[in-house]
Amino acid sequence: MHGIPVSGGIAIGHAHLVSHARLEVAHYDVPAAQIAGELARFDAALETVREELGQLRTQLPADAPQEFDAFLNLHLMILSDATLSSTPREIIEAEKCNAEWALKVQTDALLAQFDQIEDNYLQERKADVIQVVERMMKVLLGRPGYAPPASDNERNLILVAHDLSPADVIQFKQHQFASFITDVGGTTSHTAIVARSLAIPSIVALHSARQLIRENELLIVDGTIGMIIVDPDPQALAEYRLRQNQWDLEKQKLKRLRDTRAATLDNVEVELHANIELPGDVEQVLESGGTGIGLFRTEFLFLNRDNLPDEDEQFEAYRNVVRAMGGLPVTIRTYDLGADKQINDAVNTSQNPALGLRAIRLSLTEPQMFLAQLRALLRASHYGRLRILIPMLMSAVEINQTLAFIAQARQELEDKFIPFDRNVQVGGMIEIPAAALAIQTFTKRFDFLSIGTNDLIQYTLAIDRSDDSVSHLYDPLHPAVINLIAGVIKACNKSATPVALCGEMAGDVRLTRLLLGLGLRQFSMHPASLLEVKQQVLKSNLRELVPLAARMLRTADADKLQTMLRKLNA
Ligand code: PEP
Ligand code: MG
């Protein structure tokens, strides 16, 4: 099967099918003698949820709106319907599987039917079915029944999922799987970005892998070209084991560059910083020799929980990172929530979430939440070199409002005599074409800028970065994209505004020389790509790159551009 490569390397292991991590459902065979017990467990869960819902109904305050009662009644009806109360029992018996899995299989079938209904009212009932199933699942998971035999070592497991949110994938960071593959997702979707940060071979957009692959099946994953082989023959297996060893050897060799200064052959220094999602990622940054953090995506602190992290909790998290980096610069981005990263894993009901209330737009409408984060950041700035970065800015009005909030947060700390770095730098992300085109508005107001090419490309080319059906159109080399990037770098260099690039392009070694040739000197990427990019920098001669890069800017022909890129990288 072929998909889109996300993270290179080769993994050989056994498939482990997963769904939504919040309700991660494992599939295992239940021996015949245990089936009766499994059925009883399912029935008991059904009864518990029925009681829960009944109790909620009796506890409704007298002045509660009528709809509440009707709503709970509806959930009770859904629960009692044979599609949920008896079909899963039949599945347990027929497939000899665990209750959670049977419920999941049946729910997937039900939801697929809902998707085919045109009627809006019935479409909306889908959410009710999901809520009832989630209640059931929680009870079942809290009351495990037959335990499956101790499975393979985690390191040999290949996670196979249909579609996972970035919030789901981040939970896998606590485990050490061999590989991660999904049916949907574009190259720069946040799901893919987090998968990449797991630093294991990963592939997205495999379309029907989740359906075709069976639990425990042997797989070879080639994350470099985006291909998997299901149930390989011994010859293929031997070939790939060899390739895997070669890959590991290459990685091992790269480690020698960890402490080497990143400079070109003509001795121009380049800063290679790292992107992180959680404070725990710092370890990997230091191992890869990153000389700073160029992007800490703080929104991940807000996911997979029922409450929001308060100011103190955030302060601790930011301070931990700043301290762990021991004086190296740490660029922390204010939360980019909305779109595909929702608090409480809520479903975004906006028609066009990527164009909606996201990132700084959301922050500006939630002053308390935004101020709490700004105060936490400022407080942490006292403990190291912290820089604040603002995502998704587009207009001068937003810049003014944002800077006013920062001034207010500073004042609040001053009033309470709480120390912070008075010279803390504030930067803006350039990830909307309007911002790139009106770059002077930004160079004038910010201490530094950072180009977010994932969104810049999404918005310039009108390609939804999480939709794999258009990911073949995603093209960092599109003349509009490289000219926008070049324009930003040029304007920044002219006005002496430090500029970095922190989108996935920064970690793509095929583009390193082009970006260097366009004048970029600060890159921020996943720690896993850092040493490879450093190796490329060390082998590059700027004097040769600059004229070629300038010629590429004037070329509109896609084939010619590819030829020129090959020449640049030769
Ligand atoms: C970007 O858009 O390039 C970026 C770095 O931010 P994110 O991927 O989190 O949207
Ligand atoms: Mg972005």
Side-chain angles (χ1 to χ4, degrees):
M1 282 181 232
H2 290 264
I4 301 174
V6 162
S7 181
I10 287 160
I12 301 171
H14 293 278
H16 178 49
L17 309 185
V18 290
S19 21
H20 198 300
R22 268 199 146 187
L23 296 171
E24 195 192 325
V25 179
H27 171 229
Y28 45 87
D29 296 331
V30 176
Q34 310 271 357
I35 291 292
E38 204 57 21
L39 289 171
R41 197 163 73 91
F42 179 80
D43 291 342
L46 205 63
E47 200 42 48
T48 306
V49 174
R50 193 172 283 130
E51 277 167 23
E52 266 177 27
L53 290 170
Q55 219 167 31
L56 281 173
R57 273 184 92 182
T58 57
Q59 286 167 358
L60 279 182
D63 56 350
Q66 276 228 310
E67 296 86 68
F68 281 27
D69 190 56
F71 169 79
L72 289 171
N73 198 25
L74 173 71
H75 280 203
L76 274 165
M77 279 161 64
I78 293 173
L79 187 71
S80 304
D81 194 273
T83 48
L84 277 190
S85 60
S86 60
T87 312
R89 298 181 98 255
E90 289 160 20
I91 298 175
I92 296 174
E93 285 185 299
E95 292 193 15
K96 308 225 175 331
C97 64
N98 50 318
E100 295 88 347
W101 185 256
L103 180 61
K104 194 209 144 358
V105 168
Q106 172 61 0
T107 309
D108 286 350
L110 261 178
L111 296 183
Q113 285 170 15
F114 268 99
D115 285 338
Q116 280 161 15
I117 302 174
E118 300 252 322
D119 184 283
N120 274 352
Y121 174 80
L122 285 174
Q123 271 278 359
E124 280 165 23
R125 299 288 71 78
K126 187 174 151 182
D128 293 300
V129 172
I130 294 175
Q131 283 172 13
V132 173
V133 170
E134 288 197 342
R135 273 186 187 277
M136 279 284 289
M137 221 40 120
K138 274 187 189 145
V139 175
L140 280 171
L141 291 170
R143 207 184 282 164
Y146 164 73
S151 72
D152 233 320
N153 182 338
E154 260 186 8
R155 287 170 191 273
N156 290 327
L157 288 183
I158 293 171
L159 295 193
V160 185
H162 175 68
D163 182 18
L164 293 178
S165 69
D168 291 330
V169 186
I170 203 90
Q171 298 199 5
F172 293 129
K173 279 208 172 187
Q174 300 147 11
H175 304 276
Q176 288 199 307
F177 295 105
S179 167
F180 179 81
I181 59 181
T182 67
D183 286 349
V184 299
T187 355
T188 60
S189 63
H190 283 107
T191 300
I193 290 175
V194 181
R196 197 167 287 134
S197 79
L198 300 175
I200 51 178
S202 340
I203 305 175
V204 297
L206 282 157
H207 299 294
S208 41
R210 180 69 169 70
Q211 209 184 340
L212 297 175
I213 294 171
R214 278 167 305 181
E215 179 75 16
N216 215 24
E217 213 155 19
L218 186 63
L219 303 178
I220 295 175
V221 178
D222 185 334
T224 312
I225 61 166
M227 181 190 71
I228 59 171
I229 303 176
V230 185
D231 194 13
D233 59 32
Q235 220 175 346
L237 211 53
E239 163 74 22
Y240 274 90
R241 286 211 196 283
L242 199 70
R243 288 196 204 179
Q244 195 179 29
N245 286 341
Q246 279 165 346
W247 173 275
D248 292 344
L249 221 62
E250 289 294 321
K251 287 277 153 198
Q252 234 18 62
K253 268 201 236 156
L254 274 179
K255 283 192 182 157
R256 293 189 205 139
L257 297 181
R258 200 190 88 144
D259 299 316
T260 308
R261 171 175 166 263
T264 59
L265 288 171
D266 38 356
N267 203 22
V268 174
E269 187 151 356
V270 178
E271 270 178 76
L272 301 180
H273 289 180
N275 295 353
I276 65 167
E277 276 86 38
L278 292 172
D281 298 340
V282 171
E283 204 179 317
Q284 216 193 332
V285 176
L286 295 172
E287 268 170 29
S288 68
T291 51
I293 287 172
L295 173 67
F296 174 4
R297 293 182 163 97
T298 59
E299 58 273 14
F300 284 95
L301 296 175
F302 292 70
L303 303 180
N304 294 318
R305 51 192 294 160
D306 297 324
N307 56 353
L308 295 175
D310 64 13
E311 181 184 325
D312 285 343
E313 183 184 335
Q314 289 187 61
F315 161 64
E316 292 290 341
Y318 306 147
R319 185 173 61 172
N320 284 346
V321 173
V322 166
R323 277 188 168 158
M325 289 302 290
L328 293 172
V330 175
T331 309
I332 308 190
R333 178 174 79 179
T334 58
Y335 57 80
D336 180 354
L337 289 161
D340 57 346
K341 288 173 292 194
Q342 297 286 327
I343 294 171
N344 278 342
D345 215 12
V347 177
N348 197 327
T349 50
S350 152
Q351 290 281 347
N352 282 305
L355 301 182
L357 201 59
R358 180 190 157 185
I360 189 64
R361 302 172 178 183
L362 180 69
S363 300
L364 293 176
T365 62
E366 294 286 346
Q368 294 319 319
M369 188 172 153
F370 191 35
L371 281 166
Q373 181 170 40
L374 292 174
R375 284 191 305 266
L377 287 166
L378 287 169
R379 284 168 58 191
S381 72
H382 181 63
Y383 299 88
R385 269 177 75 192
L386 185 152
R387 312 197 301 171
I388 299 175
L389 180 63
I390 311 292
M392 286 279 292
L393 285 161
M394 172 270 288
S395 71
V397 174
E398 285 171 338
I399 298 177
N400 291 343
Q401 289 175 343
T402 304
L403 296 180
F405 273 119
I406 295 174
Q408 184 181 335
R410 288 175 68 120
Q411 191 58 49
E412 285 173 14
L413 296 187
E414 298 259 8
D415 292 347
K416 291 189 186 148
F417 305 104
I418 298 174
F420 64 92
D421 173 8
R422 274 148 216 275
N423 296 318
V424 66
Q425 294 198 341
V426 179
M429 284 194 74
I430 303 297
E431 45 186 353
I432 297 182
L437 292 168
I439 190 68
Q440 269 79 13
T441 321
F442 288 77
T443 49
K444 280 202 190 105
R445 309 298 304 275
F446 287 109
D447 301 314
F448 68 97
L449 297 176
S450 189
I451 311 174
T453 47
N454 306 333
D455 279 314
L456 188 63
I457 295 172
Q458 150 162 278
Y459 297 126
T460 305
L461 303 184
I463 289 166
D464 180 345
R465 59 193 270 199
S466 48
D467 183 349
D468 65 282
S469 68
V470 287
S471 58
H472 59 291
L473 300 173
Y474 174 91
D475 179 14
L477 281 187
H478 189 290
V481 174
I482 52 175
N483 275 284
L484 278 177
I485 295 173
V488 171
I489 296 172
K490 198 169 156 198
C492 287
N493 289 345
K494 203 169 148 198
S495 61
T497 312
V499 60
L501 190 149
C502 64
E504 297 302 289
M505 274 178 85
D508 186 341
V509 73
R510 288 166 303 181
L511 303 174
T512 308
R513 287 189 171 166
L514 172 62
L515 294 170
L516 284 172
L518 295 178
L520 188 73
R521 298 292 176 264
Q522 288 182 36
F523 295 64
S524 190
M525 67 201 84
H526 279 298
S529 332
L530 211 139
L531 290 174
E532 208 185 341
V533 171
K534 190 191 273 190
Q535 189 180 40
Q536 183 77 335
V537 170
L538 293 170
K539 290 193 297 191
S540 301
N541 193 334
L542 260 185
R543 263 193 293 272
E544 288 165 12
L545 303 183
V546 174
L548 254 172
R551 264 181 54 209
M552 284 181 76
L553 280 184
R554 295 191 298 270
T555 309
D557 186 299
D559 289 338
K560 269 197 197 144
L561 273 169
Q562 284 300 341
T563 313
M564 292 165 92
L565 187 70
R566 272 196 295 275
K567 197 168 159 204
L568 197 66
N569 287 332

